[in-house]
Amino acid sequence: MRIGFGYDVHPFAEGRPLILGGIQIPWDRGLLGHSDADVLLHAMMDALLGAAALGDIGTHFPDTDPRYKNISSLRLLRQVRDKLEQAGFACHNMDCTLLAEAPKIKPYIPAMTGCVSQALGIEENRISIKATTNEKMGFVGREEGMAAYAVCSISTLGGDKDE
Ligand code: MG
């Protein structure tokens, strides 16, 4: 068993859809990024890659590569799952926290959990998505952007051969 940690941040931008946890949330702004800027899934991907010591999403999906322009981060999460499987690992559980002053995230968490569950091929009860405001402090509190933290555990496919 191994654990991994991921962190990501994206600024808000006008005229962008707000995509979080693989779903579109109605809001007057979205997050700016080369892909769909899904800050929550990016933190999850870095946690998974970190647990497997496979680098980070910037290594695997460079933001200079036009193939990843506006790409759905759910597709990238699915590719990260494949990379872990090729390295002999599977995600055991994922726990993450989204920092967002607004909008209210709670109503969308079940749909996000379903998306992540499908992308990772694990049961919904192994995925925990939480959200908090930043109590109006800092860049999150001023509604300049959002941040996300994720931790996960991964296990060796077919038993703990390397433990
Ligand atoms: Mg990112």
Side-chain angles (χ1 to χ4, degrees), residues 101-138:
E101 207 63 32
K104 285 278 169 242
I105 302 300
K106 201 174 175 183
Y108 305 103
I109 286 179
M112 292 178 187
T113 306
C115 281
V116 173
S117 164
Q118 208 164 21
L120 292 181
I122 59 174
E123 300 95 321
E124 292 190 7
N125 64 12
R126 292 172 187 260
I127 298 156
S128 160
I129 300 174
K130 311 180 295 301
T132 181
T133 72
N134 220 35
E135 299 287 349
K136 298 193 164 31
M137 294 182 291

Side-chain angles (χ1 to χ4, degrees), residues 54-74:
L54 287 174
D56 60 21
I57 56 171
T59 317
H60 292 277
F61 313 112
D63 63 7
T64 48
D65 190 330
R67 279 181 300 168
Y68 304 123
K69 180 98 182 118
N70 293 323
I71 194 172
S72 162
S73 295
L74 262 185

Side-chain angles (χ1 to χ4, degrees), residues 12-155:
F12 276 122
E14 304 284 339
R16 293 263 304 178
L18 179 59
I19 314 285
L20 291 170
I23 65 163
Q24 186 165 343
I25 292 175
W27 194 237
D28 61 356
R29 285 160 291 169
L31 294 170
L32 185 63
H34 184 66
S35 67
D36 65 2
D38 190 327
V39 66
L40 188 61
L41 296 193
H42 291 188
M44 289 187 195
M45 286 189 268
D46 262 359
L48 290 164
L49 290 168
L54 287 174
D56 60 21
I57 56 171
T59 317
H60 292 277
F61 313 112
D63 63 7
T64 48
D65 190 330
R67 279 181 300 168
Y68 304 123
K69 180 98 182 118
N70 293 323
I71 194 172
S72 162
S73 295
L74 262 185
R75 285 181 56 194
L76 301 181
L77 181 62
R78 179 64 219 231
Q79 288 181 37
V80 166
R81 172 191 170 185
D82 292 343
K83 288 174 193 293
L84 256 71
E85 280 177 6
Q86 282 157 22
F89 296 109
C91 179
H92 184 262
N93 81 299
M94 175 74 71
D95 181 23
C96 50
T97 299
L98 177 72
L99 277 67
E101 207 63 32
K104 285 278 169 242
I105 302 300
K106 201 174 175 183
Y108 305 103
I109 286 179
M112 292 178 187
T113 306
C115 281
V116 173
S117 164
Q118 208 164 21
L120 292 181
I122 59 174
E123 300 95 321
E124 292 190 7
N125 64 12
R126 292 172 187 260
I127 298 156
S128 160
I129 300 174
K130 311 180 295 301
T132 181
T133 72
N134 220 35
E135 299 287 349
K136 298 193 164 31
M137 294 182 291
F139 69 89
V140 172
R142 292 189 297 269
E143 299 187 36
E144 294 169 8
M146 291 182 177
Y149 298 95
V151 291
C152 69
S153 65
I154 63 171
S155 49

